[in-house]
Amino acid sequence: MEFKGDTSGLDELLESVDDKYYNTLSQIGRDATRNAKINRTYENRTGNLNNANGGCVVRNGKIVDMWVESDGSHPEAIKNTENLLLYSEKPKDGLYLANGQPYASYLESKGFEVIMSNGVGYARRQIEKKI
């Protein structure tokens, strides 16, 4: 379709819409990691797993926002999640959530909630509702 007329300001409008979209993804991701931490179903023995839920938002193939929901006293847990988010493959732009502790997926497979239901599932529902 061809458009004839004044298109000045259209690029700025599209950029503004994109900014709002990715900012909303960031907020949903932060809420989701917080929700997963609050609603965990495992016993928090060392605090490492509980301080390793995190996420990132990818825009135009680059990470534009990254966080780890941590109390700051578990630097190894934070580093593990940051490394997972930085170096894992991200084939599309969007929101990615993770827990970088090596045993997180094992606990999930045993039925404990670490990040999937109350994190990823929560984020999906919020995206459907808000975007």
Side-chain angles (χ1 to χ4, degrees), residues 10-39:
L10 187 58
D11 289 338
E12 292 81 13
L13 175 64
L14 292 175
E15 185 72 22
S16 174
V17 169
D18 272 359
D19 289 346
K20 178 70 174 162
Y21 172 77
Y22 288 104
N23 288 338
T24 302
L25 283 182
S26 289
Q27 187 58 53
I28 288 170
R30 288 172 188 278
D31 291 345
T33 53
R34 212 170 293 118
N35 188 60
K37 183 176 183 176
I38 292 167
N39 294 299

Side-chain angles (χ1 to χ4, degrees), residues 39-101:
N39 294 299
R40 69 182 188 274
T41 60
Y42 56 88
E43 186 177 335
N44 186 32
R45 295 181 187 185
T46 65
N48 287 325
L49 193 63
N50 201 38
N51 286 281
N53 283 339
C56 68
V57 173
V58 176
R59 182 176 182 178
N60 298 324
K62 298 193 184 307
I63 294 175
V64 294
D65 189 18
M66 185 169 69
W67 64 91
V68 178
E69 182 67 30
S70 174
D71 62 13
S73 64
H74 297 82
E76 190 67 28
I78 295 167
K79 181 181 171 197
N80 288 345
T81 300
E82 287 174 342
N83 285 338
L84 180 63
L85 291 168
L86 284 170
Y87 300 114
S88 63
E89 185 176 330
K90 292 170 276 311
K92 295 182 179 181
D93 289 354
L95 174 63
Y96 292 85
L97 301 177
N99 185 300
Q101 292 301 101

